[in-house]
PDB file of all heavy atoms in Angstrom:
ATOM      1  N   GLN A  27     -48.742   9.743  82.580  1.00  0.00           N
ATOM      2  CA  GLN A  27     -49.013   8.369  82.163  1.00  0.00           C
ATOM      3  C   GLN A  27     -50.427   8.252  81.591  1.00  0.00           C
ATOM      4  O   GLN A  27     -51.249   7.459  82.050  1.00  0.00           O
ATOM      5  CB  GLN A  27     -48.780   7.393  83.309  1.00  0.00           C
ATOM      6  CG  GLN A  27     -47.353   7.397  83.787  1.00  0.00           C
ATOM      7  CD  GLN A  27     -47.088   6.329  84.832  1.00  0.00           C
ATOM      8  OE1 GLN A  27     -47.918   5.476  85.092  1.00  0.00           O
ATOM      9  NE2 GLN A  27     -45.911   6.374  85.408  1.00  0.00           N
ATOM     10  N   ASN A  42     -66.026  32.695  91.843  1.00  0.00           N
ATOM     11  CA  ASN A  42     -65.630  33.560  92.961  1.00  0.00           C
ATOM     12  C   ASN A  42     -66.801  34.492  93.258  1.00  0.00           C
ATOM     13  O   ASN A  42     -67.888  34.339  92.708  1.00  0.00           O
ATOM     14  CB  ASN A  42     -64.328  34.315  92.663  1.00  0.00           C
ATOM     15  CG  ASN A  42     -64.457  35.280  91.498  1.00  0.00           C
ATOM     16  OD1 ASN A  42     -65.562  35.645  91.096  1.00  0.00           O
ATOM     17  ND2 ASN A  42     -63.337  35.696  90.946  1.00  0.00           N
ATOM     18  N   MET A  47     -67.406  31.024  85.770  1.00  0.00           N
ATOM     19  CA  MET A  47     -67.103  30.837  84.363  1.00  0.00           C
ATOM     20  C   MET A  47     -66.692  29.383  84.158  1.00  0.00           C
ATOM     21  O   MET A  47     -66.087  28.772  85.036  1.00  0.00           O
ATOM     22  CB  MET A  47     -65.969  31.770  83.954  1.00  0.00           C
ATOM     23  CG  MET A  47     -65.596  31.728  82.519  1.00  0.00           C
ATOM     24  SD  MET A  47     -64.348  32.989  82.214  1.00  0.00           S
ATOM     25  CE  MET A  47     -64.865  33.506  80.620  1.00  0.00           C
ATOM     26  N   ASN A  61     -44.175  -1.154  68.117  1.00  0.00           N
ATOM     27  CA  ASN A  61     -42.763  -1.513  67.994  1.00  0.00           C
ATOM     28  C   ASN A  61     -42.708  -3.000  67.690  1.00  0.00           C
ATOM     29  O   ASN A  61     -43.292  -3.802  68.410  1.00  0.00           O
ATOM     30  CB  ASN A  61     -42.042  -1.181  69.305  1.00  0.00           C
ATOM     31  CG  ASN A  61     -40.569  -1.462  69.224  1.00  0.00           C
ATOM     32  OD1 ASN A  61     -40.030  -1.732  68.168  1.00  0.00           O
ATOM     33  ND2 ASN A  61     -39.910  -1.421  70.356  1.00  0.00           N
ATOM     34  N   ILE A  68     -35.531 -22.465  65.490  1.00  0.00           N
ATOM     35  CA  ILE A  68     -35.609 -23.655  64.653  1.00  0.00           C
ATOM     36  C   ILE A  68     -35.568 -24.880  65.555  1.00  0.00           C
ATOM     37  O   ILE A  68     -34.625 -25.074  66.323  1.00  0.00           O
ATOM     38  CB  ILE A  68     -34.455 -23.701  63.635  1.00  0.00           C
ATOM     39  CG1 ILE A  68     -34.508 -22.460  62.745  1.00  0.00           C
ATOM     40  CG2 ILE A  68     -34.519 -24.978  62.805  1.00  0.00           C
ATOM     41  CD1 ILE A  68     -33.355 -22.339  61.786  1.00  0.00           C
ATOM     42  N   SER A  72     -37.585 -30.147  62.317  1.00  0.00           N
ATOM     43  CA  SER A  72     -37.771 -29.389  61.080  1.00  0.00           C
ATOM     44  C   SER A  72     -38.953 -28.429  61.135  1.00  0.00           C
ATOM     45  O   SER A  72     -39.550 -28.102  60.131  1.00  0.00           O
ATOM     46  CB  SER A  72     -37.924 -30.320  59.879  1.00  0.00           C
ATOM     47  OG  SER A  72     -36.771 -31.078  59.707  1.00  0.00           O
ATOM     48  N   THR A  77     -41.196 -15.636  65.615  1.00  0.00           N
ATOM     49  CA  THR A  77     -41.946 -14.921  66.642  1.00  0.00           C
ATOM     50  C   THR A  77     -41.775 -13.421  66.460  1.00  0.00           C
ATOM     51  O   THR A  77     -40.665 -12.925  66.368  1.00  0.00           O
ATOM     52  CB  THR A  77     -41.488 -15.345  68.047  1.00  0.00           C
ATOM     53  OG1 THR A  77     -41.679 -16.756  68.165  1.00  0.00           O
ATOM     54  CG2 THR A  77     -42.292 -14.645  69.127  1.00  0.00           C
ATOM     55  N   ILE A  80     -44.673  -7.410  69.566  1.00  0.00           N
ATOM     56  CA  ILE A  80     -45.196  -6.082  69.262  1.00  0.00           C
ATOM     57  C   ILE A  80     -45.540  -5.372  70.559  1.00  0.00           C
ATOM     58  O   ILE A  80     -46.281  -5.900  71.377  1.00  0.00           O
ATOM     59  CB  ILE A  80     -46.473  -6.178  68.384  1.00  0.00           C
ATOM     60  CG1 ILE A  80     -46.195  -6.982  67.121  1.00  0.00           C
ATOM     61  CG2 ILE A  80     -47.005  -4.807  68.050  1.00  0.00           C
ATOM     62  CD1 ILE A  80     -46.921  -8.266  67.053  1.00  0.00           C
ATOM     63  N   SER A 100     -50.909 -20.988  60.968  1.00  0.00           N
ATOM     64  CA  SER A 100     -50.583 -21.024  62.396  1.00  0.00           C
ATOM     65  C   SER A 100     -50.103 -19.698  62.987  1.00  0.00           C
ATOM     66  O   SER A 100     -49.054 -19.621  63.603  1.00  0.00           O
ATOM     67  CB  SER A 100     -49.523 -22.101  62.660  1.00  0.00           C
ATOM     68  OG  SER A 100     -49.982 -23.335  62.230  1.00  0.00           O
ATOM     69  N   ASN A 104     -50.765 -13.688  71.350  1.00  0.00           N
ATOM     70  CA  ASN A 104     -50.927 -13.654  72.799  1.00  0.00           C
ATOM     71  C   ASN A 104     -50.727 -12.222  73.262  1.00  0.00           C
ATOM     72  O   ASN A 104     -50.007 -11.449  72.635  1.00  0.00           O
ATOM     73  CB  ASN A 104     -49.890 -14.570  73.471  1.00  0.00           C
ATOM     74  CG  ASN A 104     -50.101 -16.014  73.093  1.00  0.00           C
ATOM     75  OD1 ASN A 104     -51.215 -16.505  73.121  1.00  0.00           O
ATOM     76  ND2 ASN A 104     -49.034 -16.678  72.713  1.00  0.00           N
ATOM     77  N   ASP A 106     -50.000  -9.617  76.763  1.00  0.00           N
ATOM     78  CA  ASP A 106     -49.686  -9.449  78.172  1.00  0.00           C
ATOM     79  C   ASP A 106     -49.119  -8.054  78.397  1.00  0.00           C
ATOM     80  O   ASP A 106     -48.027  -7.747  77.916  1.00  0.00           O
ATOM     81  CB  ASP A 106     -48.677 -10.506  78.633  1.00  0.00           C
ATOM     82  CG  ASP A 106     -48.394 -10.433  80.119  1.00  0.00           C
ATOM     83  OD1 ASP A 106     -49.313 -10.085  80.896  1.00  0.00           O
ATOM     84  OD2 ASP A 106     -47.250 -10.712  80.510  1.00  0.00           O
ATOM     85  N   ASN A 107     -49.855  -7.186  79.068  1.00  0.00           N
ATOM     86  CA  ASN A 107     -49.390  -5.856  79.465  1.00  0.00           C
ATOM     87  C   ASN A 107     -48.846  -5.036  78.291  1.00  0.00           C
ATOM     88  O   ASN A 107     -47.705  -4.596  78.299  1.00  0.00           O
ATOM     89  CB  ASN A 107     -48.331  -5.993  80.568  1.00  0.00           C
ATOM     90  CG  ASN A 107     -48.145  -4.696  81.312  1.00  0.00           C
ATOM     91  OD1 ASN A 107     -49.014  -3.832  81.309  1.00  0.00           O
ATOM     92  ND2 ASN A 107     -46.995  -4.545  81.932  1.00  0.00           N
ATOM     93  N   THR A 111     -47.671 -10.972  71.061  1.00  0.00           N
ATOM     94  CA  THR A 111     -46.763 -11.911  70.415  1.00  0.00           C
ATOM     95  C   THR A 111     -47.517 -12.674  69.337  1.00  0.00           C
ATOM     96  O   THR A 111     -48.573 -13.243  69.606  1.00  0.00           O
ATOM     97  CB  THR A 111     -46.196 -12.914  71.439  1.00  0.00           C
ATOM     98  OG1 THR A 111     -45.562 -12.191  72.490  1.00  0.00           O
ATOM     99  CG2 THR A 111     -45.180 -13.828  70.795  1.00  0.00           C
ATOM    100  N   LEU A 116     -43.903 -22.749  60.859  1.00  0.00           N
ATOM    101  CA  LEU A 116     -43.694 -23.394  59.568  1.00  0.00           C
ATOM    102  C   LEU A 116     -43.340 -24.852  59.833  1.00  0.00           C
ATOM    103  O   LEU A 116     -42.314 -25.153  60.430  1.00  0.00           O
ATOM    104  CB  LEU A 116     -42.572 -22.698  58.791  1.00  0.00           C
ATOM    105  CG  LEU A 116     -42.764 -21.196  58.562  1.00  0.00           C
ATOM    106  CD1 LEU A 116     -41.525 -20.599  57.922  1.00  0.00           C
ATOM    107  CD2 LEU A 116     -43.991 -20.935  57.715  1.00  0.00           C
ATOM    108  N   LEU A 121     -36.342 -26.326  51.548  1.00  0.00           N
ATOM    109  CA  LEU A 121     -35.713 -25.169  50.899  1.00  0.00           C
ATOM    110  C   LEU A 121     -36.731 -24.185  50.340  1.00  0.00           C
ATOM    111  O   LEU A 121     -36.417 -23.017  50.156  1.00  0.00           O
ATOM    112  CB  LEU A 121     -34.775 -25.637  49.787  1.00  0.00           C
ATOM    113  CG  LEU A 121     -33.493 -26.320  50.260  1.00  0.00           C
ATOM    114  CD1 LEU A 121     -32.688 -26.818  49.079  1.00  0.00           C
ATOM    115  CD2 LEU A 121     -32.672 -25.381  51.114  1.00  0.00           C
ATOM    116  N   SER A 124     -37.072 -20.866  52.169  1.00  0.00           N
ATOM    117  CA  SER A 124     -35.935 -19.951  52.304  1.00  0.00           C
ATOM    118  C   SER A 124     -36.247 -18.613  51.628  1.00  0.00           C
ATOM    119  O   SER A 124     -35.747 -18.279  50.570  1.00  0.00           O
ATOM    120  CB  SER A 124     -34.661 -20.570  51.740  1.00  0.00           C
ATOM    121  OG  SER A 124     -34.833 -20.839  50.365  1.00  0.00           O
ATOM    122  N   SER A 139     -43.119  -2.550  60.398  1.00  0.00           N
ATOM    123  CA  SER A 139     -42.718  -3.890  59.966  1.00  0.00           C
ATOM    124  C   SER A 139     -41.300  -4.188  60.402  1.00  0.00           C
ATOM    125  O   SER A 139     -40.496  -3.303  60.622  1.00  0.00           O
ATOM    126  CB  SER A 139     -42.783  -4.002  58.436  1.00  0.00           C
ATOM    127  OG  SER A 139     -44.086  -3.829  57.984  1.00  0.00           O
TER     128      SER A 139
END
Side-chain angles (χ1 to χ4, degrees):
Q27 298 186 9
N42 64 17
M47 183 175 217
N61 183 10
I68 301 175
S72 298
T77 302
I80 305 113
S100 302
N104 296 314
D106 184 33
N107 198 21
T111 304
L116 304 174
L121 289 176
S124 61
S139 297

